[in-house]
Amino acid sequence: GGLAFNAYALPGTEELAANAQDSFRAGAQTVLMVRHGAVIVGKSREEAFERALLLEELCRRACQGLPEHPPAENEALARRLIACATRAFGFAIAQSSPAALACAARRKALPALLDDAAQMIGRNIPAARADEKSVLRALRRRAVVLVPGVGALCRAENAGDAEALRMLAHKACVSALHTG
């Protein structure tokens, strides 16, 4: 059917309504309204709901920060570094999402863009070379480190804390890809 994108108009104004109506008349069945959200129509409630689910899936994919050509994960290296970090710190886990791999491939520290990441990880996620000595040195200073070919390596005292850090690392990487 089509997707339309409407310019911003103040809430509750005739301009906002007219913009959406113009888009629907032009054949759109989903209208994205800047700073307001989406309006979706269908021949039935079920059809409109299916379109809403499709829009949600498309947005979810876009918000994952997936690069066009994600770097290949080095599974053997990841296993070796996880084992090394587990011996040193008690528990380790890797976040090897495409977003984490893309951020690690930059080989630069990732500044904290979100409050929860800053509180749990620190003001940045450092980058380390992909060798045990560099990774352990970085993990002594921070609970999460970016490693090329691996993504984000997280260390903690237990599996629950490591999983929380893994999710935060993913969220931080997605945010970084979307902001610059």
Side-chain angles (χ1 to χ4, degrees):
L3 176 70
F5 185 78
N6 286 355
Y8 179 75
L10 291 172
T13 62
E14 289 187 26
E15 180 185 6
L16 181 65
N19 288 347
Q21 288 173 348
D22 290 346
S23 294
F24 290 129
R25 281 190 205 106
Q29 295 170 342
T30 300
V31 177
L32 301 177
M33 301 179 301
V34 174
R35 297 189 192 125
H36 296 293
V39 177
I40 302 167
V41 298
K43 293 177 184 163
S44 66
R45 177 190 274 174
E46 290 76 23
E47 185 179 69
F49 187 73
E50 287 298 318
R51 288 184 180 143
L53 290 175
L54 177 60
L55 177 62
E56 184 177 326
E57 175 62 19
L58 292 170
C59 291
R60 185 191 63 76
R61 288 181 191 175
C63 288
Q64 291 301 309
L66 303 179
E68 284 185 36
H69 305 288
E73 177 188 357
N74 185 331
E75 291 182 31
L77 173 64
R79 283 193 300 274
R80 191 174 83 245
L81 293 175
I82 289 169
C84 178
T86 297
R87 285 190 302 275
F89 301 106
F91 198 86
I93 190 170
Q95 171 54 271
S96 297
S97 66
L101 288 165
C103 286
R106 293 176 176 176
R107 301 174 191 266
K108 294 180 182 177
L110 184 69
L113 300 171
L114 305 167
D115 286 345
D116 53 356
Q119 291 171 3
M120 297 291 293
I121 297 170
R123 65 177 215 243
N124 67 28
I125 300 174
R129 289 189 316 273
D131 63 77
E132 291 178 16
K133 186 176 178 180
S134 298
V135 168
L136 288 177
R137 185 172 41 245
L139 283 173
R140 282 188 191 97
R141 293 188 309 266
R142 292 276 195 271
V144 180
V145 62
L146 297 171
V147 181
V150 174
L153 190 61
C154 311
R155 62 124 172 116
E157 294 179 11
N158 60 60
D161 289 349
E163 179 60 24
L165 289 169
R166 188 184 73 77
M167 289 187 302
L168 281 173
H170 174 70
K171 196 166 131 180
C173 290
V174 168
S175 296
L177 290 175
H178 284 288
T179 58

